[in-house]
mmCIF file of all heavy atoms in Angstrom:
data_model
loop_
_atom_site.group_PDB
_atom_site.id
_atom_site.type_symbol
_atom_site.label_atom_id
_atom_site.label_comp_id
_atom_site.label_asym_id
_atom_site.label_seq_id
_atom_site.Cartn_x
_atom_site.Cartn_y
_atom_site.Cartn_z
ATOM 1 N N GLY M 271 8.290 17.978 10.505
ATOM 2 C CA GLY M 271 9.718 17.947 10.454
ATOM 3 C C GLY M 271 10.306 16.605 10.605
ATOM 4 O O GLY M 271 11.290 16.404 11.302
ATOM 5 N N LEU M 272 9.675 15.529 10.060
ATOM 6 C CA LEU M 272 10.079 14.182 10.177
ATOM 7 C C LEU M 272 11.027 13.769 9.044
ATOM 8 O O LEU M 272 11.041 14.399 8.034
ATOM 9 C CB LEU M 272 8.821 13.225 10.275
ATOM 10 C CG LEU M 272 7.915 13.599 11.428
ATOM 11 C CD1 LEU M 272 6.611 12.837 11.179
ATOM 12 C CD2 LEU M 272 8.494 13.195 12.665
ATOM 13 N N GLN M 273 11.729 12.596 9.249
ATOM 14 C CA GLN M 273 12.661 12.131 8.281
ATOM 15 C C GLN M 273 11.918 11.718 7.079
ATOM 16 O O GLN M 273 10.808 11.286 7.060
ATOM 17 C CB GLN M 273 13.467 10.972 8.791
ATOM 18 C CG GLN M 273 14.479 11.424 9.868
ATOM 19 C CD GLN M 273 15.325 10.234 10.321
ATOM 20 O OE1 GLN M 273 15.390 9.185 9.639
ATOM 21 N NE2 GLN M 273 15.880 10.241 11.511
ATOM 22 N N ALA M 274 12.620 11.863 5.870
ATOM 23 C CA ALA M 274 11.847 11.555 4.549
ATOM 24 C C ALA M 274 11.565 10.139 4.387
ATOM 25 O O ALA M 274 10.431 9.831 4.005
ATOM 26 C CB ALA M 274 12.816 11.974 3.398
ATOM 27 N N LEU M 275 12.499 9.159 4.549
ATOM 28 C CA LEU M 275 12.182 7.806 4.264
ATOM 29 C C LEU M 275 12.848 6.894 5.310
ATOM 30 O O LEU M 275 13.834 7.327 5.959
ATOM 31 C CB LEU M 275 12.759 7.379 2.849
ATOM 32 C CG LEU M 275 12.043 7.903 1.675
ATOM 33 C CD1 LEU M 275 12.792 7.624 0.467
ATOM 34 C CD2 LEU M 275 10.596 7.330 1.600
ATOM 35 N N PRO M 276 12.372 5.659 5.622
ATOM 36 C CA PRO M 276 12.978 4.809 6.497
ATOM 37 C C PRO M 276 14.357 4.436 6.059
ATOM 38 O O PRO M 276 14.666 4.403 4.878
ATOM 39 C CB PRO M 276 12.111 3.479 6.423
ATOM 40 C CG PRO M 276 10.825 3.938 5.888
ATOM 41 C CD PRO M 276 11.120 5.076 5.006
ATOM 42 N N GLU M 277 15.228 4.324 7.030
ATOM 43 C CA GLU M 277 16.703 3.918 6.818
ATOM 44 C C GLU M 277 16.734 2.498 6.213
ATOM 45 O O GLU M 277 15.778 1.698 6.403
ATOM 46 C CB GLU M 277 17.500 3.929 8.031
ATOM 47 C CG GLU M 277 17.660 5.220 8.655
ATOM 48 C CD GLU M 277 18.302 5.242 9.984
ATOM 49 O OE1 GLU M 277 18.718 3.993 10.345
ATOM 50 O OE2 GLU M 277 18.462 6.304 10.682
ATOM 51 N N ARG M 278 17.638 2.245 5.381
ATOM 52 C CA ARG M 278 17.800 0.843 4.821
ATOM 53 C C ARG M 278 19.335 0.571 4.709
ATOM 54 O O ARG M 278 20.133 1.502 4.658
ATOM 55 C CB ARG M 278 17.129 0.747 3.467
ATOM 56 C CG ARG M 278 17.667 1.667 2.381
ATOM 57 C CD ARG M 278 16.841 1.423 1.076
ATOM 58 N NE ARG M 278 17.544 1.833 -0.019
ATOM 59 C CZ ARG M 278 18.299 1.110 -0.778
ATOM 60 N NH1 ARG M 278 18.569 -0.229 -0.418
ATOM 61 N NH2 ARG M 278 19.007 1.651 -1.856
ATOM 62 N N ARG M 279 19.620 -0.665 4.650
ATOM 63 C CA ARG M 279 21.081 -1.066 4.575
ATOM 64 C C ARG M 279 21.698 -0.635 3.250
ATOM 65 O O ARG M 279 21.114 -0.784 2.188
ATOM 66 C CB ARG M 279 21.232 -2.567 4.751
ATOM 67 C CG ARG M 279 20.866 -2.935 6.251
ATOM 68 C CD ARG M 279 21.069 -4.443 6.342
ATOM 69 N NE ARG M 279 20.239 -5.222 5.428
ATOM 70 C CZ ARG M 279 20.300 -6.554 5.406
ATOM 71 N NH1 ARG M 279 21.186 -7.233 5.988
ATOM 72 N NH2 ARG M 279 19.429 -7.154 4.548
ATOM 73 N N HIS M 280 22.909 -0.142 3.347
ATOM 74 C CA HIS M 280 23.535 0.272 2.056
ATOM 75 C C HIS M 280 24.761 -0.565 1.806
ATOM 76 O O HIS M 280 25.390 -1.157 2.781
ATOM 77 C CB HIS M 280 24.046 1.749 2.216
ATOM 78 C CG HIS M 280 22.933 2.785 2.154
ATOM 79 N ND1 HIS M 280 22.227 3.054 1.109
ATOM 80 C CD2 HIS M 280 22.427 3.440 3.186
ATOM 81 C CE1 HIS M 280 21.355 3.988 1.373
ATOM 82 N NE2 HIS M 280 21.399 4.235 2.590
ATOM 83 N N THR M 281 25.098 -0.822 0.572
ATOM 84 C CA THR M 281 26.325 -1.515 0.211
ATOM 85 C C THR M 281 27.128 -0.580 -0.591
ATOM 86 O O THR M 281 26.747 0.584 -0.899
ATOM 87 C CB THR M 281 25.925 -2.769 -0.608
ATOM 88 O OG1 THR M 281 25.370 -2.326 -1.920
ATOM 89 C CG2 THR M 281 25.019 -3.697 0.034
ATOM 90 N N THR M 282 28.371 -0.926 -0.874
ATOM 91 C CA THR M 282 29.294 -0.128 -1.694
ATOM 92 C C THR M 282 28.690 0.149 -3.002
ATOM 93 O O THR M 282 28.673 1.353 -3.495
ATOM 94 C CB THR M 282 30.594 -0.853 -1.858
ATOM 95 O OG1 THR M 282 31.151 -1.053 -0.603
ATOM 96 C CG2 THR M 282 31.568 0.120 -2.588
ATOM 97 N N LYS M 283 27.971 -0.809 -3.547
ATOM 98 C CA LYS M 283 27.321 -0.669 -4.858
ATOM 99 C C LYS M 283 26.134 0.444 -4.727
ATOM 100 O O LYS M 283 25.896 1.221 -5.649
ATOM 101 C CB LYS M 283 26.803 -1.938 -5.349
ATOM 102 C CG LYS M 283 26.227 -1.897 -6.739
ATOM 103 C CD LYS M 283 25.789 -3.238 -7.254
ATOM 104 C CE LYS M 283 25.266 -3.225 -8.739
ATOM 105 N NZ LYS M 283 24.885 -4.519 -9.136
ATOM 106 N N ASP M 284 25.368 0.244 -3.614
ATOM 107 C CA ASP M 284 24.352 1.268 -3.458
ATOM 108 C C ASP M 284 24.723 2.727 -3.416
ATOM 109 O O ASP M 284 24.009 3.600 -3.852
ATOM 110 C CB ASP M 284 23.607 0.972 -2.138
ATOM 111 C CG ASP M 284 22.746 -0.300 -2.161
ATOM 112 O OD1 ASP M 284 22.343 -0.640 -3.251
ATOM 113 O OD2 ASP M 284 22.646 -1.009 -1.082
ATOM 114 N N LEU M 285 25.994 2.886 -2.824
ATOM 115 C CA LEU M 285 26.509 4.234 -2.671
ATOM 116 C C LEU M 285 27.150 4.848 -3.892
ATOM 117 O O LEU M 285 27.689 5.985 -3.827
ATOM 118 C CB LEU M 285 27.454 4.263 -1.491
ATOM 119 C CG LEU M 285 26.800 3.918 -0.093
ATOM 120 C CD1 LEU M 285 27.858 3.910 0.841
ATOM 121 C CD2 LEU M 285 25.713 4.849 0.258
ATOM 122 N N ASP M 286 27.171 4.151 -4.937
ATOM 123 C CA ASP M 286 27.720 4.541 -6.281
ATOM 124 C C ASP M 286 26.911 5.954 -6.679
ATOM 125 O O ASP M 286 25.737 5.870 -6.778
ATOM 126 C CB ASP M 286 27.567 3.580 -7.332
ATOM 127 C CG ASP M 286 28.034 4.088 -8.660
ATOM 128 O OD1 ASP M 286 29.271 4.226 -8.919
ATOM 129 O OD2 ASP M 286 27.103 4.336 -9.548
ATOM 130 N N PRO M 287 27.644 6.960 -6.916
ATOM 131 C CA PRO M 287 26.995 8.356 -7.190
ATOM 132 C C PRO M 287 26.001 8.171 -8.395
ATOM 133 O O PRO M 287 24.893 8.757 -8.377
ATOM 134 C CB PRO M 287 28.119 9.167 -7.423
ATOM 135 C CG PRO M 287 29.251 8.671 -6.792
ATOM 136 C CD PRO M 287 29.151 7.136 -6.873
ATOM 137 N N GLY M 288 26.444 7.480 -9.418
ATOM 138 C CA GLY M 288 25.632 7.302 -10.624
ATOM 139 C C GLY M 288 24.256 6.536 -10.367
ATOM 140 O O GLY M 288 23.169 7.012 -10.676
ATOM 141 N N LYS M 289 24.449 5.546 -9.650
ATOM 142 C CA LYS M 289 23.257 4.726 -9.171
ATOM 143 C C LYS M 289 22.294 5.446 -8.275
ATOM 144 O O LYS M 289 21.103 5.369 -8.421
ATOM 145 C CB LYS M 289 23.735 3.357 -8.576
ATOM 146 C CG LYS M 289 22.596 2.358 -8.423
ATOM 147 C CD LYS M 289 23.130 1.034 -7.905
ATOM 148 C CE LYS M 289 22.035 -0.010 -7.917
ATOM 149 N NZ LYS M 289 21.693 -0.511 -9.260
ATOM 150 N N GLU M 290 22.940 6.211 -7.321
ATOM 151 C CA GLU M 290 22.148 7.045 -6.390
ATOM 152 C C GLU M 290 21.330 8.053 -7.111
ATOM 153 O O GLU M 290 20.149 8.299 -6.900
ATOM 154 C CB GLU M 290 22.987 7.631 -5.374
ATOM 155 C CG GLU M 290 22.249 8.214 -4.226
ATOM 156 C CD GLU M 290 21.392 7.192 -3.500
ATOM 157 O OE1 GLU M 290 21.792 6.082 -3.361
ATOM 158 O OE2 GLU M 290 20.248 7.595 -2.973
ATOM 159 N N ALA M 291 21.997 8.746 -8.128
ATOM 160 C CA ALA M 291 21.305 9.695 -8.915
ATOM 161 C C ALA M 291 20.156 9.138 -9.785
ATOM 162 O O ALA M 291 19.077 9.723 -9.872
ATOM 163 C CB ALA M 291 22.385 10.455 -9.867
ATOM 164 N N THR M 292 20.423 8.058 -10.347
ATOM 165 C CA THR M 292 19.333 7.270 -11.132
ATOM 166 C C THR M 292 18.207 6.862 -10.268
ATOM 167 O O THR M 292 16.999 7.119 -10.610
ATOM 168 C CB THR M 292 19.955 6.027 -11.779
ATOM 169 O OG1 THR M 292 20.954 6.467 -12.725
ATOM 170 C CG2 THR M 292 18.858 5.298 -12.515
ATOM 171 N N ARG M 293 18.525 6.370 -9.062
ATOM 172 C CA ARG M 293 17.509 6.002 -8.140
ATOM 173 C C ARG M 293 16.618 7.128 -7.743
ATOM 174 O O ARG M 293 15.299 7.102 -7.776
ATOM 175 C CB ARG M 293 18.111 5.341 -6.887
ATOM 176 C CG ARG M 293 17.090 4.929 -5.859
ATOM 177 C CD ARG M 293 17.823 4.473 -4.558
ATOM 178 N NE ARG M 293 18.578 3.202 -4.742
ATOM 179 C CZ ARG M 293 19.883 3.076 -4.635
ATOM 180 N NH1 ARG M 293 20.627 4.263 -4.317
ATOM 181 N NH2 ARG M 293 20.554 2.034 -4.834
ATOM 182 N N GLY M 294 17.263 8.259 -7.487
ATOM 183 C CA GLY M 294 16.463 9.531 -7.124
ATOM 184 C C GLY M 294 15.623 10.043 -8.298
ATOM 185 O O GLY M 294 14.446 10.456 -8.097
ATOM 186 N N HIS M 295 16.198 10.075 -9.423
ATOM 187 C CA HIS M 295 15.447 10.583 -10.597
ATOM 188 C C HIS M 295 14.256 9.621 -10.978
ATOM 189 O O HIS M 295 13.155 10.115 -11.170
ATOM 190 C CB HIS M 295 16.341 10.551 -11.751
ATOM 191 C CG HIS M 295 15.665 10.998 -13.058
ATOM 192 N ND1 HIS M 295 15.116 12.303 -13.265
ATOM 193 C CD2 HIS M 295 15.350 10.352 -14.199
ATOM 194 C CE1 HIS M 295 14.588 12.360 -14.524
ATOM 195 N NE2 HIS M 295 14.644 11.156 -14.983
#
Side-chain angles (χ1 to χ4, degrees):
L272 300 169
Q273 291 183 20
L275 289 172
E277 296 173 359
R278 63 186 198 87
R279 290 183 298 176
H280 291 287
T281 66
T282 304
K283 186 176 181 180
D284 288 331
L285 297 176
D286 176 73
K289 193 175 186 69
E290 190 63 34
T292 296
R293 182 184 293 116
H295 176 69

